[in-house]
Amino acid sequence: MDLCDKCGNPQIIIKRKQSGQMLCQECFIKAIQEKVLKDIRRQKLVTKGDKVLVALSGGKDSVMVLDILNNLRERRIIDLVAVTIDEGICGYREDGVDIAAQNTELLGVKHRIVSFKDYLGRTLDEIMADSGDRNACTYCGVFRRWILNQVAREEGATKIATGHNLDDETQSIMMNYMEGNIQNLTRIGVKSESSCEGFTVKIKPLREIPERETALYVMARDLPVHLAGCPYAGDSFRAKIRDFLQEINQEHPTIMYSTLRGFDKIKPVLKKEFSRQNKLGVCRECGEPAAAELCKACSFRKQWKKE
Amino acid sequence: MDLCDKCGNPQIIIKRKQSGQMLCQECFIKAIQEKVLKDIRRQKLVTKGDKVLVALSGGKDSVMVLDILNNLRERRIIDLVAVTIDEGICGYREDGVDIAAQNTELLGVKHRIVSFKDYLGRTLDEIMADSGDRNACTYCGVFRRWILNQVAREEGATKIATGHNLDDETQSIMMNYMEGNIQNLTRIGVKSESSCEGFTVKIKPLREIPERETALYVMARDLPVHLAGCPYAGDSFRAKIRDFLQEINQEHPTIMYSTLRGFDKIKPVLKKEFSRQNKLGVCRECGEPAAAELCKACSFRKQWKKE
């Protein structure tokens, strides 16, 4: 009979293919929490006194980040604030916002809900109704980062934590290898590094946790999560890579780790050689950090004004 | 109606997804030959007076390499010799050897057939019958390289040309990215670079030609080719990556090129940083180049002697 490798409990909830380890619910929760907290320490993702803004969509990954970082808040190592961005996606985002609110209430963490409508004057639905040419994810990603960075400053946050897991990160690495996009590769990592003022460092505490374990964690912890998929999701290149990685992971259960480890060895070398001396400037419209005269968000917004 | 982009012939045999270009049989053959000869020149794969040994299995890729390099032989720029290795795979290799012979006869190129049995004392079938533990491809690859390198010296060859195409190369790059095998990555390229004496430089003239175009080329040229698959083929990791790349290539027809271009930018940086100062030594058994005291081939052979 299968028994928990830690405590001998016969009710195991996971057999880790990558290591053969079997764990019961309680030991799995503990093992995951310890692993993430250890990664945070080892990679110096936070320092005492940090105010961490959690980008909380209500999905399993961001709910898990909030739950684990709350441990550091309870121990008064960091302060926390959660922000949910309401993109204005009718029939989808409302539930995510509710669930995010349940989670913050449960933990007693301050929660802000900010909307595309308030910051941009348009919901994502309105943006997409007007523009057939571009992928929703392109707009949405640019605007979410733009808003998040502003809210971080408004809140006096010193870090922004996102829920990117091992699968997400490996997909990004593979996409950029395959597209030959070396510039993007130099920016992938557990911690965004920017010397630019006005730019809040982003951290990914779940970067080493496989997606199936983030799903299992929120179930095991019985946390409310928003499971619906975004109706605009249609990034087929990423979806293809995700499917491939998941499939190959069946027979090669350490493949995402080896991809990540290989990349982490390559990255500093690429950075040294290829990263432009990109002293980010400041957008002349909004004052946010920008690679060009206008930041991406303002260059999209300018197009609307012309219409 | 679709017409050849070069000559207007309505009988087109290819519509290149990556560029939209349509070509008739004659213009396709000419375009491919020009492309490969241009790549050879641009990348300085041969110099006047080289004696190039073609590793000729009889499969479509090696037959194509022989056919195109023969153009340089006819123009007296290089000399050619073809070598077919008979691994001793019953019911499979015999046909390949015959077809290789047909091709060299057609062109009037010197042809040598060398066997595992002669060089190792055992056929691959005999090796595999004795050893259940290891993948046939591991043995076969090591021994083929070992024999090829010896034959190259016996023939006074200055280069060894292989039929690796764009798909093969992209697969190798992806495999090593995913396995995090940086050392191997530093050795992938259009031309093997080794300062070691006794090591003949290997070149891959078809590195930028997609697999489907090598197949189409030998058909268009009506060259005899061996189409059967090796009965030992079972490298499932490579096969999975091949299937994935081919599938994604349907919608992203430049993906293999962008992977290759990205890698070619990264590689020199990796080489500078990661390639061990691997001054290859010489194997104490056979005198061939070796990374350790014994080369891989001799270390396998030593195991047999013990048996």
Side-chain angles (χ1 to χ4, degrees), chain A residues 174 177-180 182 237 240 244-245 247-248 251 255 258-259 262 265-266 269-270 272-274, chain B residues 174 177-180 182 237 240 244-245 247-248 251 255 258-259 262 265-266 269-270 272-274:
Chain A
M174 294 285 285
Y177 276 151
M178 294 183 74
E179 289 170 331
I182 320 283
F237 187 51
K240 281 207 164 62
F244 165 65
L245 282 168
E247 194 203 313
I248 212 155
E251 275 179 47
I255 201 73
S258 61
T259 306
K265 274 188 227 160
I266 289 176
V269 185
L270 295 183
K272 206 165 57 181
E273 202 81 14
F274 293 104
Chain B
M174 293 283 285
Y177 275 150
M178 293 181 74
E179 288 168 332
I182 320 282
F237 186 52
K240 281 210 165 62
F244 164 65
L245 281 168
E247 194 202 313
I248 212 157
E251 275 180 46
I255 201 74
S258 61
T259 307
K265 274 189 226 159
I266 290 176
V269 184
L270 294 184
K272 206 164 59 182
E273 203 81 14
F274 293 103

